[in-house]
Amino acid sequence: MDQTLTMLKELTEAKGVPGNEREAREVMRKYLEPYADEITYDNLGSIIGVLKGKENGPRVMVCGHLDEIGFMVTKITDKGFIKFQPLGGWWNQVMLSQQVVVVNGKGECFHGVIGSKPPHILSSDDRKKPVEIKDMFIDIGVKDKEEVEKLGIKPGDMIVPYCEFRTLANEKYMLAKAWDNRIGCAIAIEVLKQLKGQAIDATVYGVGTVQEEVGLRGAKTSGYKLNPDICIATDVGIAGDTPGVGDAATGELGKGPQIVLYDSSMVGHRGLREFVLQVADELNIPYQFEAIAGGGLDSGAIHTTHQGVPSIGICIPSRYIHSNASVIHRDDFENAVKLIVEVIKRLNTEVVNKITYEW
């Protein structure tokens, strides 16, 4: 396994639901440290790696969010089953019988499964009805509530999906939990890595934000702290290259990163979009377009901070997002990094002013 795959494995296998991003943040810090001139944080826990450019050069924020979708323990039943609150957007049909890990306050992990009824005891009508999340429970293999409490598990503890990182039959296809959005964190790391030691005007901030899945909260605080001139938010997009998706999504794995035109939190900045597309066309970097009717990226919170920040979303097409496991393509990751690096290399005060005011 090469260095990039090792980084991606560590990032995706780290556990970190909204409000509990510490483990993922420590992995990101480990990989930022060789390339950042400084590492700092906002007060919610977002991590910021700073690569300094010219003293009066533009400030460019490249962010991905640390948190993954997961759950929080809300109640332990007398029989020792765990009730939970979703953190992030879950579709109940992808949840039953999935493995999870419950993490107590000491960081100790306990494997479990979201329970399901066997089809043998379901009526024909019940088989057609999705089980509501409020009726689901997690079985960690204990006899009663007292045994759960002895394990140190209590309400408020985090629960994460369980899935080990692996490459698939074609090794460029990568399966893992938490691509949403550890791949964005990996992009921020790689951008700083490739820009380290180069003569650039911009000061670049590689940021891992917290609590994106519950309202872009770390983006608000880190964006306010940094007050960037340009923001590039990285995340996963929706792949439409599997059976049954149809026209609901058009992205394809391996065809390039997705340039986000619109999402529910932001209309992409036209001047910045045109500049990004110009660079991509100049260097023959493949790309696709994405419009996301539901959901928004961190740029949605950042672009309205202070006097406004020209912002764009660049996404990695992903199959099966917001489930226990999803699939991305390595070429899309590498082309996203290349595109962002080349954009930043061309940014100076004159170019940023033109992007901002002359579009």
Side-chain angles (χ1 to χ4, degrees):
M1 186 176 291
D2 62 37
Q3 290 181 341
T4 299
L5 290 181
T6 298
M7 176 183 68
L8 295 176
K9 176 179 172 65
E10 290 186 27
L11 281 169
T12 54
E13 291 187 355
K15 295 173 283 296
V17 301
N20 287 273
E21 295 94 346
R22 176 180 290 184
E23 183 177 327
R25 183 171 62 242
E26 287 305 304
V27 175
M28 187 170 182
R29 180 185 176 97
K30 168 185 169 181
Y31 283 99
L32 276 174
E33 281 182 330
Y35 316 115
D37 297 316
E38 177 187 355
I39 291 180
T40 185
Y41 304 88
D42 70 14
N43 291 346
L44 286 187
S46 302
I47 185 170
I48 302 162
V50 185
L51 181 63
K52 296 179 181 179
K54 291 186 178 178
E55 185 175 351
N56 296 314
R59 301 158 63 87
V60 180
M61 181 176 181
V62 180
C63 60
H65 64 86
L66 289 163
D67 56 314
E68 62 186 296
I69 58 166
F71 313 98
M72 175 189 289
V73 176
T74 55
K75 180 182 177 181
I76 302 165
T77 71
D78 290 341
K79 293 291 187 180
F81 297 105
I82 294 172
K83 304 289 285 185
F84 57 85
Q85 166 68 39
L87 297 173
W90 282 92
W91 183 38
N92 47 12
Q93 290 198 47
V94 304
M95 293 171 60
L96 293 179
S97 296
Q98 294 290 346
Q99 293 186 62
V100 296
V101 177
V102 183
V103 186
N104 69 14
K106 297 179 180 179
E108 298 169 327
C109 298
F110 303 92
H111 286 256
V113 61
I114 299 176
S116 63
K117 295 179 182 178
H120 311 67
I121 62 172
L122 296 175
S123 68
S124 58
D125 285 340
D126 284 340
R127 294 187 190 194
K128 300 174 185 176
K129 298 176 184 176
V131 177
E132 294 189 34
I133 294 176
K134 68 180 179 63
D135 296 323
M136 295 181 188
F137 60 88
I138 292 169
D139 183 351
I140 62 168
V142 296
K143 63 181 180 180
D144 55 28
K145 182 178 182 178
E146 182 179 359
E147 195 169 342
V148 177
E149 291 173 342
K150 285 181 179 178
L151 296 173
I153 297 172
K154 61 185 183 301
D157 287 343
M158 75 167 162
I159 306 164
V160 297
Y162 176 74
C163 177
E164 296 181 2
F165 171 91
R166 68 185 71 243
T167 56
L168 299 179
N170 179 332
E171 291 190 353
K172 289 191 174 184
Y173 289 76
M174 302 179 292
L175 172 77
K177 73 171 184 65
W179 283 131
D180 185 4
N181 182 28
R182 305 288 163 67
I183 194 60
C185 298
I187 290 171
I189 293 166
E190 283 291 309
V191 167
L192 260 65
K193 178 180 178 180
Q194 294 192 21
L195 289 172
K196 180 73 171 178
Q198 298 204 36
I200 56 173
D201 282 22
T203 289
V204 185
Y205 301 93
V207 184
T209 65
V210 296
Q211 299 191 42
E212 189 269 356
E213 295 291 358
V214 290
L216 315 181
R217 295 170 186 174
K220 294 175 185 176
T221 51
S222 60
Y224 187 85
K225 176 184 175 77
L226 297 177
N227 189 19
D229 298 300
I230 295 288
C231 171
I232 301 172
T234 61
D235 211 316
V236 294
I238 300 171
D241 56 358
T242 56
V245 177
D247 294 333
T250 58
E252 295 185 50
L253 268 63
K255 295 293 184 68
Q258 296 168 301
I259 310 301
V260 180
L261 306 172
Y262 165 90
D263 65 41
S264 65
S265 66
M266 187 188 79
V267 177
H269 189 277
R270 180 179 174 182
L272 182 54
R273 181 177 73 239
E274 292 304 315
F275 184 75
V276 169
L277 295 178
Q278 176 185 321
V279 173
D281 290 339
E282 174 191 336
L283 299 174
N284 293 315
I285 299 172
Y287 60 86
Q288 308 174 71
F289 291 112
E290 172 75 301
I292 306 171
L297 312 183
D298 274 339
S299 49
I302 295 163
H303 84 292
T304 56
T305 60
H306 295 277
Q307 297 182 69
V309 181
S311 301
I312 193 169
I314 296 180
C315 290
I316 305 301
S318 179
R319 298 173 180 170
Y320 326 122
I321 63 172
H322 279 230
S323 68
N324 265 52
S326 53
V327 178
I328 67 170
H329 197 286
R330 183 164 177 171
D331 286 354
D332 298 327
F333 164 68
E334 292 179 350
N335 279 313
V337 171
K338 181 179 180 181
L339 177 57
I340 295 169
V341 165
E342 294 297 332
V343 165
I344 292 172
K345 286 164 64 175
R346 290 161 172 76
L347 291 178
N348 55 38
T349 300
E350 180 182 355
V351 171
V352 170
N353 285 340
K354 185 174 181 180
I355 288 171
T356 304
Y357 302 114
E358 297 184 20
W359 62 271

